[in-house]
Amino acid sequence: MLFSNLYHYLKEEKSFAVTLNCSTDLHEIRDVELLDGTQMSYATDIVYFGYSNALSSDTQPAQCILADDKMALFPYSCTDRATVPAQELFAVFNAAKQYIQHQEHLSLYEELVRRGHLTHSLDEVVNFASIKMGNSLIFCDKKFRILSYSTSIPVIDPWWKENVERGYCTYEFIKTVMSLESIQSAATTIEPIEVSCPESPYRKCSSKVFLNGVQVGFVLMIEGNTSFTSGHLAAMSDISKAISYVIGRYHPELLQYSSADQQLLEALLIGTPAELLSDSISHLHTSDAMYALCIQPESDLKEIELKEQICPAILHIFPEAYMTIHDNAIALLVPDQSSVVYENTQKRMLKTMAELHLDAGISLVFSKMDEFYTAYQQARNVLEWNRRIPDFLKKQIIWDRRYPSEHRTHRYSEIEFYELMDLVPEPDALASFIHPALYRLKEYDQKTGNELFHTLEVYLQSFHNNKETANILCIHRNSLAYRMEKIAEVGKADFNDPNTEFLLRLSYKIIEYLKINNKWHM
């Protein structure tokens, strides 16, 4: 039993006027004891009851329930503490003692189910079980999506820690696990098995989880500071049954079955080779010009909220698209290029993105389904870069003007160069590759207050179109002509030479990258 369990029992079921001061649930409760002023040390698994003046200023209990004396300073070193009116102190003590004695006769399954009834939370049940076992726990569905994991005792195994952070297991990881002899020979029951993996130093045991006679996942315990015993293996069956009960009663949405198309996309998104899915892929409508999209809400939404609130609006824009929820985002396969580049579609998309506070990343065009995984990573990376670029820099960087960044849609072509620069082993050396003409223009602008540096940038991005350049800069074309003459004079470069133009364009992109990484100081 944990301190929060005892508090809720006294507060909710017995209606005592208990006030919770702090609760960490770090320690399992074994017993209760009265403070008599003679204790020199305290056990962490005992809740102490009494008055604060019976406590030593040097040593204080980890768990206590004290009389609410307004004049007393309560010890803040306690990890779990509550207060009660002085007149209720002994009644609360007796109720707590009876409750703990009664709990001693409950099985682990009964304790976990009671925790589930109290909190309606799968995470709470997994955390409670983790503390009881003294080891970390992970619950996955049959597709190896991680639906819950312990935070009170964090996962430290490097392989599973990576999976937890990602929210799912990759195809290669699943393939390795399923090839283990202990997994292949496991019975189709909740009987726990020990799983040994040569790549990890941590022992593990696993138990399948069933709902209505069908396996829906498995629970995994990873050995940490507490060594496995026969009791741990026996307890895994109770944990499995409790998880099944809580999901069936309170969270059936976690196991809602997706369509065949959604399952296909999910398999591709975890890295399953397309050739292994050829039969399923053959039923899709595809073309030689497809896009992958990643759509994310501005604020975190649960998967059920994404499905109910966001997905219908996206399907209205792309009715022919294939869609699934993956890693807290909506993943789309748009099978026809025209539906993304079509002007009316763009208008509907931009309007929906703004209204629902969504951001969309769009991949490069691709033609084969074995490219979908890479294309989706491109779409997701666009959004990662969008968050990485400070807002004030977004206004300075000249994006593709057909798809302005403030409209909340972003294309991989906008940031592909940045990803390339991220591979440079010595990014500080990039500044030496900036064309010297740009340094001269920047220095001239700083001395005179002119904008030759920015003017040349817009001119190059506008493909030497004087009218468009003047409109963007909001200046007269005669003023632009004067600026271009000055740029040639100050820059001392042949701006009509194709190689020079390429190097100038490259230099502006390097400067953008250095700005993003706070390494451009001119």
Side-chain angles (χ1 to χ4, degrees):
M1 183 198 309
L2 302 178
F3 191 83
S4 60
N5 295 109
L6 179 60
Y7 164 75
H8 281 291
Y9 170 76
L10 296 171
K11 178 81 172 179
E12 306 299 332
E13 296 190 32
K14 301 301 288 184
S15 301
F16 287 114
V18 187
T19 301
L20 187 66
N21 303 131
C22 59
S23 177
T24 62
D25 282 345
L26 291 176
H27 309 289
E28 183 78 12
I29 298 173
R30 177 179 54 83
D31 203 354
V32 293
E33 190 174 312
L34 286 171
L35 292 167
D36 58 15
T38 63
Q39 288 104 337
M40 300 301 294
S41 62
Y42 303 95
T44 58
D45 58 358
I46 291 178
V47 180
Y48 292 87
F49 286 74
Y51 293 86
S52 58
N53 58 13
L55 293 171
S56 164
S57 59
D58 299 323
T59 308
Q60 292 137 12
Q63 306 186 87
C64 61
I65 294 180
L66 303 175
D68 188 3
D69 182 355
K70 301 296 184 183
M71 302 301 294
L73 293 176
F74 295 122
Y76 286 92
S77 62
C78 301
T79 58
D80 301 89
R81 185 181 70 248
T83 56
V84 297
Q87 64 272 22
E88 291 188 353
L89 177 64
F90 295 108
V92 170
F93 171 81
N94 289 332
K97 191 168 187 65
Q98 291 175 5
Y99 182 57
I100 290 170
Q101 289 173 345
H102 174 68
Q103 292 297 303
E104 290 177 353
H105 303 294
L106 291 178
S107 67
L108 175 61
Y109 170 74
E110 290 172 318
E111 285 191 81
L112 294 176
V113 167
R114 176 171 288 194
R115 186 74 173 180
H117 282 314
L118 184 66
T119 64
H120 295 187
S121 168
L122 177 61
D123 290 339
E124 287 284 345
V125 171
V126 170
N127 257 324
F128 183 77
S130 172
I131 293 172
K132 296 285 287 187
M133 296 297 99
N135 288 308
S136 55
L137 287 172
I138 300 172
F139 170 60
C140 298
D141 67 7
K142 282 197 71 176
K143 299 176 185 176
F144 281 72
R145 291 186 307 161
I146 295 171
L147 302 185
S148 185
Y149 57 91
S150 60
T151 54
S152 51
I153 301 181
V155 175
I156 57 175
D157 178 275
W159 296 92
W160 277 100
K161 186 177 180 181
E162 220 175 89
N163 292 331
V164 164
E165 291 171 354
R166 192 189 298 113
Y168 60 91
C169 301
T170 64
Y171 168 77
E172 288 300 326
F173 184 90
I174 297 171
K175 182 180 175 183
T176 301
V177 170
M178 297 307 292
S179 68
L180 295 175
E181 184 179 345
S182 56
I183 297 295
Q184 292 183 344
S185 60
T188 314
T189 66
I190 63 172
E191 181 182 351
I193 59 170
E194 187 164 346
V195 184
S196 58
C197 179
E199 287 82 8
S200 172
Y202 298 95
R203 294 171 65 201
K204 303 174 184 70
C205 61
S206 172
S207 177
K208 294 175 181 176
V209 176
F210 291 83
L211 188 62
N212 299 325
V214 178
Q215 186 190 350
V216 295
F218 62 92
V219 59
L220 183 76
M221 183 186 299
I222 303 175
E223 185 180 62
N225 294 329
T226 306
S227 299
F228 282 167
T229 64
S230 57
H232 283 90
L233 287 173
M236 288 296 287
S237 297
D238 278 348
I239 295 172
S240 169
K241 288 188 292 184
I243 287 175
S244 172
Y245 180 87
V246 172
I247 288 178
R249 181 72 181 270
Y250 299 111
H251 295 287
E253 78 282 354
L254 291 176
L255 299 173
Q256 285 181 346
Y257 295 102
S258 54
S259 68
D261 292 341
Q262 288 174 319
Q263 291 181 45
L264 170 61
L265 290 190
E266 289 163 9
L268 290 168
L269 289 170
I270 66 171
T272 308
E275 59 265 25
L276 298 181
L277 304 166
S278 56
D279 288 343
S280 299
I281 289 174
S282 65
H283 294 93
L284 297 184
H285 165 62
T286 60
S287 71
D288 60 357
M290 299 179 282
Y291 282 105
L293 273 68
C294 176
I295 297 175
Q296 290 180 320
E298 203 173 65
S299 56
D300 291 335
L301 293 179
K302 296 179 180 178
E303 183 171 326
I304 189 68
E305 294 172 319
L306 286 173
K307 286 181 179 178
E308 293 179 353
Q309 300 174 21
I310 309 300
C311 287
I314 303 303
L315 277 177
H316 182 69
I317 302 171
F318 301 108
E320 79 289 5
Y322 302 102
M323 176 190 303
T324 190
I325 308 295
H326 180 73
D327 200 8
N328 299 318
I330 299 173
L332 266 75
L333 166 64
V334 182
D336 187 355
Q337 177 187 20
S338 62
S339 64
V340 174
V341 299
Y342 187 52
E343 186 175 349
N344 285 344
T345 301
Q346 289 181 36
K347 289 180 180 178
R348 289 199 305 271
M349 187 176 181
L350 298 177
K351 184 173 183 289
T352 301
M353 297 300 107
E355 288 177 347
L356 298 180
H357 304 286
L358 305 172
D359 289 308
I362 305 174
S363 73
L364 300 177
V365 68
F366 65 98
S367 57
K368 299 177 181 177
M369 282 303 296
D370 58 6
E371 299 173 307
F372 174 68
Y373 174 83
T374 299
Y376 181 75
Q377 298 309 312
Q378 292 174 354
R380 195 172 184 96
N381 287 350
V382 179
L383 300 185
E384 293 297 327
W385 274 97
N386 184 52
R387 284 188 284 271
R388 183 172 164 182
I389 301 172
D391 288 339
F392 76 92
L393 278 182
K394 290 177 186 175
K395 297 176 182 178
Q396 297 176 20
I397 295 174
I398 299 179
W399 304 96
D400 184 336
R401 297 194 179 280
R402 294 171 298 166
Y403 313 108
S405 60
E406 63 268 19
H407 284 157
R408 310 180 75 99
T409 61
H410 315 276
R411 293 177 175 259
Y412 185 71
S413 56
E414 297 170 357
I415 59 91
E416 186 174 15
F417 179 81
Y418 304 151
E419 297 230 295
L420 173 64
M421 290 296 96
D422 262 355
L423 300 177
V424 174
E426 297 182 19
D428 289 340
L430 289 172
S432 63
F433 291 91
I434 295 171
H435 197 286
L438 298 190
Y439 283 112
R440 288 192 280 269
L441 293 176
K442 196 68 177 176
E443 289 172 358
Y444 180 83
D445 287 347
Q446 289 172 346
K447 290 178 181 177
T448 64
N450 282 289
E451 294 186 6
L452 303 186
F453 179 92
H454 182 56
T455 299
L456 177 60
E457 182 181 17
V458 175
Y459 180 74
L460 293 174
Q461 287 287 341
S462 301
F463 302 101
H464 298 208
N465 186 314
N466 290 334
K467 181 180 179 181
E468 183 178 349
T469 303
N471 288 340
I472 292 171
L473 295 173
C474 299
I475 60 175
H476 194 274
R477 290 179 68 177
N478 291 340
S479 299
L480 175 62
Y482 170 78
R483 285 192 188 182
M484 295 308 299
E485 289 177 4
K486 201 67 179 174
I487 287 170
E489 176 189 333
V490 175
K492 296 180 174 58
D494 182 2
F495 297 109
N496 293 316
D497 175 58
N499 288 326
T500 300
E501 177 167 347
F502 169 76
L503 293 173
L504 289 170
R505 287 178 173 274
L506 178 65
S507 297
Y508 276 115
K509 296 301 291 183
I510 290 175
I511 289 170
E512 287 178 4
Y513 178 77
L514 293 175
K515 282 181 177 179
I516 292 169
N517 292 281
N518 199 29
K519 294 182 181 295
W520 173 254
H521 303 296
M522 282 200 71

